[in-house]
Amino acid sequence: MHKGIAHFQVGEKIDGYLLIKSVAKGVASNGKPFLTLQLGDHTGEMEAKLWDCNPDDETTFVSSTIIHVTGDIQEYRGKLQLKIKGIRPTTAMDHVKLADFLQCAPIDPEEMFAKITQYIFEMKNANLQRITRHLLKKHREAFLEIPAATKNHHEFVSGLAYHVVSMLDLAKALANLYPSLDTDLLYSGIILHDLGKVIELSGPVGTTYTVEGKLIGHISIMVNEIGQVANELAIEGEEVMVLQHLVLSHHSKGEWGSPKPPLIREAEILHMVDNIDAKMNMLDRAMERVKPGEFSEKLYAMDNRSFYKPTFSN
Amino acid sequence: MHKGIAHFQVGEKIDGYLLIKSVAKGVASNGKPFLTLQLGDHTGEMEAKLWDCNPDDETTFVSSTIIHVTGDIQEYRGKLQLKIKGIRPTTAMDHVKLADFLQCAPIDPEEMFAKITQYIFEMKNANLQRITRHLLKKHREAFLEIPAATKNHHEFVSGLAYHVVSMLDLAKALANLYPSLDTDLLYSGIILHDLGKVIELSGPVGTTYTVEGKLIGHISIMVNEIGQVANELAIEGEEVMVLQHLVLSHHSKGEWGSPKPPLIREAEILHMVDNIDAKMNMLDRAMERVKPGEFSEKLYAMDNRSFYKPTFSN
Amino acid sequence: MHKGIAHFQVGEKIDGYLLIKSVAKGVASNGKPFLTLQLGDHTGEMEAKLWDCNPDDETTFVSSTIIHVTGDIQEYRGKLQLKIKGIRPTTAMDHVKLADFLQCAPIDPEEMFAKITQYIFEMKNANLQRITRHLLKKHREAFLEIPAATKNHHEFVSGLAYHVVSMLDLAKALANLYPSLDTDLLYSGIILHDLGKVIELSGPVGTTYTVEGKLIGHISIMVNEIGQVANELAIEGEEVMVLQHLVLSHHSKGEWGSPKPPLIREAEILHMVDNIDAKMNMLDRAMERVKPGEFSEKLYAMDNRSFYKPTFSN
Amino acid sequence: MHKGIAHFQVGEKIDGYLLIKSVAKGVASNGKPFLTLQLGDHTGEMEAKLWDCNPDDETTFVSSTIIHVTGDIQEYRGKLQLKIKGIRPTTAMDHVKLADFLQCAPIDPEEMFAKITQYIFEMKNANLQRITRHLLKKHREAFLEIPAATKNHHEFVSGLAYHVVSMLDLAKALANLYPSLDTDLLYSGIILHDLGKVIELSGPVGTTYTVEGKLIGHISIMVNEIGQVANELAIEGEEVMVLQHLVLSHHSKGEWGSPKPPLIREAEILHMVDNIDAKMNMLDRAMERVKPGEFSEKLYAMDNRSFYKPTFSN
Amino acid sequence: MHKGIAHFQVGEKIDGYLLIKSVAKGVASNGKPFLTLQLGDHTGEMEAKLWDCNPDDETTFVSSTIIHVTGDIQEYRGKLQLKIKGIRPTTAMDHVKLADFLQCAPIDPEEMFAKITQYIFEMKNANLQRITRHLLKKHREAFLEIPAATKNHHEFVSGLAYHVVSMLDLAKALANLYPSLDTDLLYSGIILHDLGKVIELSGPVGTTYTVEGKLIGHISIMVNEIGQVANELAIEGEEVMVLQHLVLSHHSKGEWGSPKPPLIREAEILHMVDNIDAKMNMLDRAMERVKPGEFSEKLYAMDNRSFYKPTFSN
Amino acid sequence: MHKGIAHFQVGEKIDGYLLIKSVAKGVASNGKPFLTLQLGDHTGEMEAKLWDCNPDDETTFVSSTIIHVTGDIQEYRGKLQLKIKGIRPTTAMDHVKLADFLQCAPIDPEEMFAKITQYIFEMKNANLQRITRHLLKKHREAFLEIPAATKNHHEFVSGLAYHVVSMLDLAKALANLYPSLDTDLLYSGIILHDLGKVIELSGPVGTTYTVEGKLIGHISIMVNEIGQVANELAIEGEEVMVLQHLVLSHHSKGEWGSPKPPLIREAEILHMVDNIDAKMNMLDRAMERVKPGEFSEKLYAMDNRSFYKPTFSN
């Protein structure tokens, strides 16, 4: 299969490798079990039904398995659906590997890491610089892999790093226009604000919440880590508390998960920069699939609005 | 008086010209009337009490009058207050003029107008360009004078123009980072979004709401004007409706005055750009008066929060 | 088929003409496609399933088509459902016409128009009279056809005109009891308040929202039209702004779509008259189908309440 | 004093009898006590200050006392205020009586009672008729005296009876337009809906809430009374429960004091009729004092809105 | 069948008697009707599907019928489901009785009644004692049978009595810690607070709301009964009104069904005791089914939260 | 002065020592400055006015100063007020000490500490026991001094310790009734839940919020400390995370300051126990001052309700 799953049309036939991203069992109205598979590759995803499956199928076709599949592309409720004709699990003989089937950030992780490192390198405030460098280094591996969220925005491999890089560039542009901003503080806050997700989320594939993620949450996790790093590095200035405040308040309101609202100028800006980058990511991906003169699907994380693409837009 | 009112300290004496920005009558507990005057110049404002005033005083010392005053600076409830010892209205002989007593935008109005004109000049979409140019030209005089609001942010002479210029520069920076944005549409929306305030507000000094401002509001006023200009210029493309939508939705939510939420990418960004620039203006002006390690006064338009200035901030 | 679809019972057989009001595709658990058809005539609607349909069926049986159908009436989840045995599209040979299959207002459109015209004729304020007459005349055709809403209340052919006539009669009764009301203003506001729906809605059958309806909305559409008509007719009195305010505020609150709340006595009354007539229409139609001692289905637009019909009611 | 307090202007002198409606003690900034008196007659009220009062004054000038007063009318914060020069309590020698100093409904109580009795007389449902007649008769005296509320609307002697009569007339007009309404039920509900206020409120002058009013409230009080009357009269039909429901639900929502929302058509209409009559009463009284082209004071019970009187209004 | 339905595992076969707790009809995608049965015994419930049923089945297998069934236990969407192989209604020959198939409170009703009677016996305030004893005696039979609610908490036979007993014991413990509490009043309030449910709910099996339950509600029902009992017993002290207030306010807020908030110390405590006991009941039953280190299903009545069972818990 | 300030009546004279709890400056309407002093001792507080004060007075009579005062008790707006006749600061010669002028918990701090220690001693879970003991010991001194809050409940010296002891006793009673509760976890959570206030609050007298209190808050402060103590003590079990969750969630909702809602049974109970004890403390103190048959003042932290004391209460 040469072209990605995202480029198939109704009526075409498929014959190739796909990754099972999630599975749900069902019982059909004739009493027989079936599986609803979410199949994907690096270009996108499509739902598929495996009718009349047997108990073996249920243990073979599980999440994160790469399969070989043949079938027809149909339409169901306005979405494409794959009608499976043949399906088998892959073996070493198939020479396929997981990484080839995942959606990734458009920039190489190492390149993003270098860029973030440069931002840290240029900081003048040694306390902020040391805490930020230490924590980024500590969680480097997971940070470069995990998505920024389980859904809604930047939900792809290396999504968090991509989100952080975009936010840094946006913050730099803002600081040029509003010179009162303390860039060292703002950049530190951006780099660390979601870093607790390396513990909150299970990993880059089939991402779910860990127990610690559910009970403590990435905000409190990172606030704790900042405190512990400051201890380890024997840093005692007000920067520790202020940086904890930036992380603590970056969701802006109690009902959105921040126990304190932003009470420092850079905390307020951090929240807004986070908001803009997340929304632009959602909008860009939604509008890509919309033709001029039409409305997008409803975007849940944007108050369920459908966005319009003007006919005069390019 | 050489130094501005904003630079006086408790215990100092004042002897010079000031503008009456607003007046309120009171009756003291001994049954005698008094006036509470808000006096100001181009640097700021201070409250003053005129005790035991007579009926003539009430008709002499009215809003927008320039007076000559002598008195002592005292403190009352954490704020400075002027205790008036002598006060008289000015005449032609005093050689004072209103413009010298008003807070103004830090950039010259003509310079701002030239900058906005350049943004319009570079537009490629002729429909958006013609509507925007026509309306800006029509309301040029008032646009260059009025504040962006009666309080909270950019509430000084030429405040609206200053707000628009800042938003344009911010939008340009954003468009560099997110190339999917239609800059012609976004710039048009920014230039027109608050232009209805030339009719909603009474003018640059002692600004209040007009009857039309109260009953119709600047949003609907400008949506109507865009429709009428399109009629006059015989413009029929979808740009008219889309531009009306940007103005209509720039307050984002029904309860904030927008009958439609943003449903176009540039409408969403317009709202966020408006928000950032207004907040940065409020924060910068509030934090100017705060020492490191202290909290600002409560900022009403920012959910009544007091902001902290870190001790390590410059 | 002589009796209307609303009068069939479980177990009866149907053999006659019906209109397809909407269609949805599905895939059955055996993998075969089927169609869910909403079929109706001037008395009401019923759902029908067309199992094992082929691709031709999907292009033949589309919305707004009149079909000939045979089948059995069954019950499914407390609602009647038609099990289709035979179905075919109609041709000129069938001598059926769309108008015979639509639910309509109980009064003839021309009669309603004459009644509204009489209300306008009796106005003493020439400005209000001229604007109202001009706009009603301009949109006469669509006004007499469209429903008052796509669902909830008065969602039938000529529903808007019927709603306006009822509101006028109700307003007249109120003005008798509260003589302080300016009837010219109140009647004008009633006639124009929803007139923007002629542009917001697609038409009398299979009614949906137009792009302009979604982006601008009937309230702002009509406020603009009032401004333009005043221009054309060279009317300059305060009536223009006041009438715009009545239209602008008739949804009463920002979160319900009005950028300004009612700030004029007649605006407040207009909102309440609109509310009463819409609710009485919903209640009357819901309670018709309820037996004494039982509760109605849940009424979504009335906070999801089920209403009770007392046993002593007639 | 021949003309009423409501007709005095700034600068005039007053010399006549007034009723003390309420009193509040204060201590002036010179440490001396003073009294703030709310003085009124049948036309309206005005605030007055009695400076440097002695302990005797505090026991002499109490609420519900008629006094003779001389003084000057001044203005304070946009409201008229009486500066007291001479004040004394009245005795039998003054030949003044309370009733002459109270604001009353514009219709004679007995006439209103006759009108309500006629509505009851015409009822066809004997159960509703007997319960309503019995309760009205039981509480006749207080019902004809008390206001409809302690503030906001119909807050004058016989205000409740006046409110009920207006609502009955409005309900009759509605029933003509919407013949599905059960008028016996609706009229019974209107007559009884606020009758519990005879126990909730302390009486016609200086009205406050009783302990039972605060702990149980007029709604539950009347629901209980309906139940007890039905017991006494041995009435057993569903009318009892339905009438209780109408009283229970007439505030429409839990947060407004109704433990059940309206679930019967007449209950919904009862709420709306109550709402319209209360609002028209508030608006009429507020707009009386407003000149064309100006805004009213803020009306607390109408979401704090200021209403505008158009220049073309009569 | 010896072991209860709650103890079956996937793959086991069932052959025994079960109670039909509720039934819903469906139409399969092949057009044939089927029944979804909720089957249960005294240990719990399980869903079962009866495919291809005929019209007789629909009238035979109705709610509250005891059936004999054979089939296999399967899993569907994480829940066990019974695949019916054979099913028949029972007759007198089967020697089964309803009581054996219902979930009941863990304490014998008579024992609970004795315990509550003892609480009443120890009261010192004769008025509270007489009212409470009279009402409990009047509704004794239904009180000992009905659940405390139709779902969420204590939704089993004698659930209300069990809830009351737990609350009394909890109130006694609280009164030991906070001696200012008036235990007579608090115990009376607890015993009567939900007693109106004997009229609000239909009965112990297949519990639904009665018409009076929907239109008046258990709170107002019991407030009325307290008033009537006081009349009958000629009790006139403030205890009547105060006890009515406790019942009236025990849901704490208007939007939760209480027309008055708690305004007496014991009323506030009654609400909190009710709250704690309901939540502990929900939590205990939910956590029973959860293994250490896992989360419970979402609990609707507890803000849809999933609760975690720590690994170190016993 | 032998009797406490709380026992003085209007008309009495005062001559003795009092503590200045807070001071506010004012300017009288004659232009002269005055001080409003809040004066108190271990029994309560009273407001006092010092008229015509000079600059020395402002620096002498500051918060936390013990003064000797003579004057008269008057009434102002329903509250007692002290009219100062003579006032002087105290010196070593007066032999007065701060501790004698403060309101304290009714139990000796050491006794409370012993009681809490006993609860810890009886824990079976070593991890919970060690963390709790370590943190209590670390903050022992401040813990035994500070109030539980700056206002509303337990706002007296040792208020926090008193609150914790009451909560432990209440939790013990609950655990007897609901044996599923893990008492080790619940007691640990209670002891630590507010311990962060030793850093959030400034101290036992004239209590205000520290910068860290405002920016981070006592919840996050203690969550961090638990993590650090676990590190120091090398404790690695799930107890650490679970205990952090209990502290994190004890305000129950995001808008009340908890970034996570309670997701563990003991966390839910901890919140409810906290709530009950705080409310009983507020109610007991408010109702002490109320006579039977009267209402309390409005209690801000209890939704501004006024509570009624029944006439039959003891």
Side-chain angles (χ1 to χ4, degrees), chain D residues 17 66-68 88-97 101:
Chain D
Y17 297 101
I66 301 174
I67 50 145
H68 184 275
R88 68 167 172 82
T90 51
T91 66
M93 303 296 287
D94 286 284
H95 300 293
V96 288
K97 62 178 197 289
F101 290 85

Side-chain angles (χ1 to χ4, degrees), chain A residues 70-234:
Chain A
T70 56
D72 301 326
I73 308 296
Q74 298 185 328
E75 191 185 331
Y76 175 52
R77 292 202 182 165
K79 290 188 171 181
L80 298 187
Q81 197 180 65
L82 170 57
K83 185 174 174 184
I84 297 173
K85 292 192 162 169
I87 183 170
R88 68 167 171 81
T90 52
T91 67
M93 305 294 288
D94 286 283
H95 301 294
V96 288
K97 60 179 200 289
L98 186 61
D100 296 339
F101 291 85
L102 298 172
Q103 278 186 278
C104 296
I107 311 183
D108 179 74
E110 289 309 318
E111 192 181 327
M112 296 195 285
F113 192 77
K115 194 162 183 183
I116 297 170
T117 303
Q118 183 62 22
Y119 270 97
I120 297 174
F121 179 77
E122 291 175 9
M123 289 179 185
K124 295 194 184 67
N125 183 313
N127 286 346
L128 294 171
Q129 189 183 44
R130 290 175 66 207
I131 294 171
T132 309
R133 188 164 48 202
H134 186 98
L135 283 165
L136 185 66
K137 201 171 158 190
K138 175 178 174 188
H139 296 297
R140 174 183 169 142
E141 192 179 3
F143 170 72
L144 291 179
E145 273 188 2
I146 60 165
T150 59
K151 56 183 176 182
N152 294 333
H153 77 98
H154 297 93
E155 68 276 38
F156 44 74
V157 176
S158 306
L160 179 54
Y162 188 64
H163 181 39
V164 164
V165 166
S166 299
M167 284 173 68
L168 286 169
D169 289 345
L170 177 46
K172 193 174 195 171
L174 274 170
N176 282 337
L177 296 168
Y178 304 105
S180 59
L181 292 169
D182 179 330
T183 50
D184 284 0
L185 178 57
L186 183 52
Y187 296 162
S188 278
I190 288 172
I191 295 168
L192 301 182
H193 82 292
D194 268 355
L195 189 55
K197 290 194 172 175
V198 300
I199 289 165
E200 185 182 58
L201 300 179
S202 62
V205 189
T207 310
T208 56
Y209 284 85
T210 62
V211 172
E212 192 163 356
K214 286 181 183 169
L215 295 186
I216 310 294
H218 72 277
I219 284 185
S220 296
I221 288 168
M222 190 45 47
V223 169
N224 291 356
E225 294 238 341
I226 291 170
Q228 294 198 355
V229 162
N231 266 9
E232 288 172 34
L233 302 183

Side-chain angles (χ1 to χ4, degrees), chain A residues 215 224 228 231 244-245 254, chain F residues 215 224 228 231 244-245 254:
Chain A
L215 295 186
N224 291 356
Q228 294 198 355
N231 266 9
Q244 286 178 317
H245 175 72
Chain F
L215 295 186
N224 290 357
Q228 294 199 354
N231 266 9
Q244 286 178 316
H245 174 72

Side-chain angles (χ1 to χ4, degrees), chain F residues 282-293:
Chain F
M282 281 188 273
L283 280 173
D284 276 354
R285 292 202 296 162
M287 298 317 284
E288 251 173 35
R289 299 188 293 267
V290 177
K291 294 176 202 148

Side-chain angles (χ1 to χ4, degrees), chain C residues 75-78, chain E residues 23-27 33-36 58:
Chain C
E75 190 185 332
Y76 175 51
R77 292 202 182 165
Chain E
V23 188
K25 287 179 226 174
V27 174
F34 66 91
L35 295 177
T36 300
E58 295 186 21

